[in-house]
C-alpha cells in the first residue's frame, strides 16, 4: 500500500499526474472539501486510493475547527476495524490519518457517489457526494452495524457551474473506477476509460412473503441504496405461487444482469427450478442471483451474511442491500433431488422429513409472528413428538464412524435388492441387518406388483391418492397452507411440471434400485431427518455453522427415535447460536448424496421449506452451479 501524497494547499489535481506515474496502481486525488466554510481555503486534503478515501485537515490552525469531529472519531476508530482489511501497512496508514485528525473510510464501505448542484441560487459550485456504510458500534451493544454516512466534496474553483461539474464528474469517475477495480494508470487516461454499461436487475417481489411487507420494505429501504450504487432495475410482483418459476422458463437471460429476489426461500426455490428446467439450463443457471430478506426464514440471505461477516440479527435488510450494492459473484452448490414420482427438483437449502419438516409446514399458521413462527412451531411439535420409521442411506464425504452408542442397526455396504420376481430382501457385506420392511416404497417403484410387495405398490398408489385427498383435508383444516392457501397446488404443480432438464447425477441410481455398495444405510425410527446444505435454516436457526455455500457437502442431520424431548429442546436452543454438534442420538454427517425412504404412510417432507409429496427421495450435490451475489467471504463468520 503506497503512502498518501503530500501536496501543497494550492494543489491542482492535474499536477498529480507526475506523482502517480511511478506508482501505477494507486491514484490520489486532492480537492477542496468545504462543507462548513464555502469560499474559504480548503480545510481538508482528500485522498482516494485503491483501498480507501481519507480526509485530513490541511493546516494546523484549522484543526481547532474540526475538534468535535476528532473527538467523535475516537469512538469510531476501534469499532470500524472489522470492516477494513488487515493489511499492516493499510492499518498503519489509517491510524496515522486518524491521529492527525482526519477521516478515513474504506472503499469497501462505499457503495457509490453522485454529482449534484447546490440548492441556493447563485451557487455555481458542483458537489460530489460519496455514499458509505461503514460499520459502527451499536449503542448499548458490543456488536457493530453498518450506518449510512454521506461525505460531500465541493468543487468551486471555476466561475461557472459547468466548469465545476466537469471537475466533479472527473473525480466521480475516478472513484467509480476504484470501486469497480478498473485500473487507472494515469489521470490523463481517464477520458479513454469507458465504464462498463450496466445491465438492469430483474427484481422479483413476493407480496405475501414473510408478513406481507416485502414490497413496502423494498420501496422504502432498498431502492435508495440501489440508487446510490447506480443499480437500475425493473420490478415484477409475483401474482400467484409458481409465477416466478413460470417467468424463469421464458426469462431473457441476455437482457438482464441478474435476478434480485425480495422474498423468502420459497421464491428462490422457484427461480432456481425455473432456470434449471430450461433447455439452456447450463447458461441460464449462471445468471447472477441476489437475495433480500422478504420472507420469514430467509435462510439463504442469513447464510450469505453469516459467511461474509455481515450483521444479520440487526437491520438485516440494510446489510443485505449493502451486499447487493457491493457484490461479487460467489458460486453456490445445488442439490439435485429425485422424488419417488419421477420428478427432479433442484434444492439449495434443505430436504427435511420429520420434526423440521413438520415445524416448517405446521408453523404456517403462525406466519403473522414472522421469524418467531419457527420457535413457536418447534415447541408445539416437540411437545407432541412424532417418530417416523424409515431407512436413510448416504454416501459419506469423509470417513464415516457411527457413534458407538447408537441403538439403531447400521451396515456399511448394505445393498437392498428387488429380485426379478419382486421379492424384497437384503444382502449385506458386513454387519447384520434386519430385513427391509415390506412396506418400503422405494423397493417397488418400478411398478411391479409382486405378491409379497403388493402392499408396497399399493402404498405408492395410495401415496398419490393421499396427496389429492390431503388437498381437501388441509384446505378444510386450513393447515399447512402457504400465503394464499396454495401449498397443495404447489405440490401438484411440482409433480406435474418438475421434469425439465436432465442434469447428470452420477452418484444416484434410480430410486427403485438399491443404493450403490459404497453407501451407508441406517434403518430405524427417527424423530428428525434433514439434509441441510446452508449454515442457516432461519435467522435464529444455525443448523450447520461450518457450512459454506460451495463446500460440496450435504449435512445430514439425524435424530433417532430414542432421543428425549429435553435433548431436542437443548439442540434447538443450541442451534440459535450454531452450537449444536453431533452427539450419540443426534448426528450430523457430511455426505455427497443421500436417500430417505419413509416406511410410515403419513408425514411431511419439504424441499427448501416447501412441501413435496411424501415418499422416497434422494439427492446429490451439484458443485458450484449457481452464481450468488455476495461479498467476499471473510475468514471467520461474525455476528
Ligand atoms: N403472489 C403470490 N401469491 C401467493 N403465493 C405466492 C405469490 N408469490 C409467491 N408465492 C408463494 O409464496 C410462498 C412463500 O413465499 P416465500 O418462501 O418467498 O416466503 P416465506 O415463506 O415467508 O419465507 P421463507 O420461505 O423464508 O420462510 C412460496 O411458495 C411462493 O411460491
Amino acid at each position: 500500500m503506497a503512502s498518501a501524497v503530500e501536496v501543497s494547499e494550492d494543489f491542482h489535481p492535474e499536477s498529480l499526474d507526475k506523482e502517480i506515474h511511478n506508482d501505477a496502481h494507486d491514484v490520489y486525488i486532492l480537492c477542496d472539501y468545504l462543507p462548513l466554510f464555502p469560499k474559504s481555503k480548503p480545510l481538508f486534503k482528500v485522498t482516494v486510493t485503491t483501498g480507501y478515501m481519507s480526509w485530513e485537515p490541511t493546516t494546523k490552525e484549522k484543526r481547532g475547527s474540526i475538534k468535535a469531529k476528532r473527538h467523535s472519531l475516537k469512538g469510531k476508530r476501534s469499532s470500524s476495524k472489522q470492516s477494513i482489511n488487515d493489511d499492516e501497512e493499510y492499518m498503519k496508514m489509517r491510524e496515522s490519518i486518524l491521529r492527525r485528525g482526519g477521516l478515513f473510510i474504506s472503499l469497501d464501505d462505499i457503495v457509490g457517489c453522485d454529482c449534484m448542484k447546490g440548492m441556493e441560487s447563485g451557487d455555481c459550485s458542483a458537489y460530489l457526494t460519496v455514499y458509505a456504510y461503514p460499520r459502527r458500534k451499536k449503542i448499548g451493544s458490543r456488536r457493530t452495524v453498518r450506518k449510512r454516512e454521506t461525505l460531500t466534496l465541493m468543487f468551486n474553483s471555476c466561475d461557472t457551474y459547468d466548469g465545476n461539474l466537469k471537475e466533479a464528474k472527473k473525480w466521480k469517475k475516478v472513484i467509480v473506477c476504484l470501486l469497480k477495480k478498473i485500473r487507472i494508470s494515469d489521470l490523463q487516461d481517464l477520458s479513454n476509460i469507458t465504464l462498463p454499461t450496466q445491465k438492469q436487475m430483474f427484481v422479483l417481489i413476493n407480496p405475501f412473503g414473510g408478513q406481507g411487507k416485502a414490497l413496502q420494505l423494498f420501496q422504502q429501504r432498498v431502492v435508495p441504496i440501489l440508487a446510490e450504487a447506480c443499480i437500475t432495475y425493473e420490478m415484477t410482483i409475483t401474482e400467484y405461487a409458481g409465477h416466478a418459476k413460470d417467468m424463469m422458463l421464458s426469462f431473457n437471460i441476455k437482457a438482464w444482469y441478474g435476478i434480485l429476489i425480495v422474498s423468502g426461500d420459497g421464491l428462490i426455490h422457484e427461480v432456481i427450478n425455473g432456470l434449471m428446467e430450461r433447455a439452456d439450463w447450463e447458461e441460464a443457471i449462471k445468471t447472477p442471483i441476489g437475495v433480500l430478506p422478504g420472507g420469514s426464514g430467509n435462510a439463504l440471505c442469513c447464510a450469505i451474511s453469516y459467511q461474509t461477516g455481515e450483521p444479520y440479527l440487526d437491520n438485516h435488510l440494510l446489510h443485505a442491500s449493502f451486499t447487493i450494492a457491493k457484490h461479487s459473484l460467489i458460486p453456490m452448490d445445488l442439490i439435485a433431488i429425485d422424488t419417488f414420482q419421477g420428478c427432479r427438483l433442484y434444492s439449495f437449502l434443505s430436504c427435511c422429513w420429520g420434526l423440521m419438516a413438520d415445524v416448517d409446514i405446521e408453523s404456517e399458521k403462525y406466519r403473522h409472528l414472522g421469524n418467531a413462527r419457527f420457535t413457536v412451531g418447534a415447541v408445539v411439535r416437540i411437545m407432541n413428538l412424532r417418530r417416523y420409521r424409515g431407512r436413510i442411506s448416504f454416501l459419506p464425504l469423509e470417513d464415516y464412524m457411527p457413534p458407538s452408542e447408537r441403538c439403531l442397526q447400521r451396515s456399511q455396504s448394505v445393498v437392498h435388492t428387488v429380485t426379478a420376481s419382486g421379492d424384497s430382501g437384503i444382502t449385506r457385506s458386513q454387519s447384520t441387518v434386519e430385513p427391509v420392511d415390506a412396506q418400503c416404497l422405494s423397493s417397488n417403484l418400478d411398478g411391479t406388483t409382486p405378491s409379497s410387495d403388493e402392499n408396497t405398490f399399493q402404498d405408492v398408489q395410495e401415496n398419490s391418492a393421499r396427496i389429492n385427498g390431503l388437498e381437501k383435508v388441509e384446505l378444510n383444516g386450513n393447515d399447512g397452507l402457504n400465503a394464499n392457501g396454495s401449498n397443495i397446488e404447489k405440490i401438484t404443480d411440482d409433480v406435474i411440471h418438475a421434469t425439465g432438464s436432465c442434469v447428470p447425477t452420477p452418484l444416484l441410481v434410480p430410486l427403485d434400485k438399491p443404493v450403490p455398495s459404497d453407501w451407508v444405510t441406517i434403518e430405524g425410527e427417527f424423530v428428525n431427518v434433514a439434509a441441510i446444505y446452508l449454515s442457516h435454516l432461519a435467522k435464529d436457526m444455525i443448523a450447520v455453522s461450518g457450512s459454506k455455500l460451495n463446500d460440496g457437502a450435504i449435512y445430514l442431520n439425524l435424530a433417532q427415535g430414542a432421543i428425549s424431548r429435553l435433548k431436542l429442546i437443548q439442540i434447538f436452543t443450541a442451534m440459535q447460536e450454531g452450537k449444536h454438534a453431533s452427539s450419540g442420538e443426534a448426528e450430523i454427517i457430511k455426505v455427497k448424496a443421500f436417500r430417505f425412504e419413509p416406511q410410515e404412510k403419513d408425514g411431511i417432507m419439504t424441499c427448501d421449506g416447501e412441501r413435496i409429496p411424501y415418499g422416497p427421495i434422494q439427492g446429490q450435490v451439484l458443485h458450484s452451479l449457481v452464481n450468488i451475489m455476495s461479498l467476499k467471504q471473510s475468514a471467520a463468520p461474525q455476528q
Side-chain angles (χ1 to χ4, degrees), residues 203-216:
V203 177
L204 268 173
I205 299 182
N206 175 0
F208 296 103
Q211 292 168 291
K213 293 185 186 152
L215 177 58
Q216 186 190 342

Side-chain angles (χ1 to χ4, degrees), residues 430-490:
Q430 288 177 4
S431 54
T432 315
V433 169
E434 282 183 356
V436 177
D437 190 319
Q439 289 192 351
C440 174
L441 300 177
S442 71
S443 303
N444 298 277
L445 291 173
D446 54 1
T448 54
T449 51
S451 53
S452 61
D453 282 6
E454 199 137 341
N455 285 344
T456 313
F457 179 65
Q458 278 172 1
D459 279 348
V460 177
Q461 305 293 322
E462 282 171 24
N463 229 25
S464 308
R466 197 166 55 241
I467 292 157
N468 296 327
L470 196 65
E471 192 168 347
K472 286 195 199 84
V473 173
E474 292 200 337
L475 282 172
N476 289 340
N478 193 24
D479 194 20
L481 303 179
N482 66 16
N484 68 340
S486 58
N487 208 6
I488 305 305
E489 273 170 42
K490 179 91 173 64

Side-chain angles (χ1 to χ4, degrees), residues 237-244 246-247 267 270 484 486:
I237 297 167
T238 56
E239 290 164 16
Y240 54 89
H243 189 190
D246 290 348
M247 278 189 271
L267 215 65
E270 279 194 29
N484 68 340
S486 58

Side-chain angles (χ1 to χ4, degrees), residues 205-212 237-245 261-270 294-300 348-349 360 364 367 370-371 373-374 482-487 490 537-538 608-611:
I205 299 182
N206 175 0
F208 296 103
Q211 292 168 291
I237 297 167
T238 56
E239 290 164 16
Y240 54 89
H243 189 190
K245 185 175 167 188
I261 302 167
V262 191
S263 185
D265 299 302
L267 215 65
I268 303 170
H269 177 87
E270 279 194 29
S296 343
N298 307 310
L300 178 56
F348 65 95
L349 167 59
D360 208 343
E364 280 286 344
R367 179 170 280 274
N371 185 54
R373 79 172 161 110
F374 300 113
N482 66 16
N484 68 340
S486 58
N487 208 6
K490 179 91 173 64
L537 287 175
D608 297 345
E610 302 298 310
R611 194 167 186 178

Side-chain angles (χ1 to χ4, degrees), residues 382-398:
I382 290 173
M383 289 302 121
N384 304 286
L385 207 56
R386 280 190 212 146
R387 292 182 175 80
Y388 297 94
R389 198 171 168 73
R391 194 165 52 189
I392 312 301
S393 305
F394 54 88
L395 178 62
L397 188 65
E398 299 161 346

Side-chain angles (χ1 to χ4, degrees), residues 63-81:
R63 285 188 183 186
S65 63
I66 56 162
K67 206 172 171 189
K69 205 130 215 172
R70 283 163 60 194
H71 268 305
S72 62
L73 277 168
K74 277 185 187 167
K76 295 175 182 179
R77 274 162 70 165
S78 57
S79 59
S80 60
K81 256 181 191 166

Side-chain angles (χ1 to χ4, degrees), residues 269-310:
H269 177 87
E270 279 194 29
V271 166
I272 286 175
N273 279 273
L275 293 172
M276 289 300 285
E277 270 193 30
R278 294 162 56 118
D280 63 346
W281 63 269
E282 271 173 293
E283 203 186 341
I285 197 62
K286 295 298 172 201
T287 308
I289 294 178
V291 291
L292 291 171
S296 343
N298 307 310
L300 178 56
C301 210
C302 291
I304 292 169
S305 298
Y306 183 69
Q307 274 180 42
T308 54
E310 283 297 301

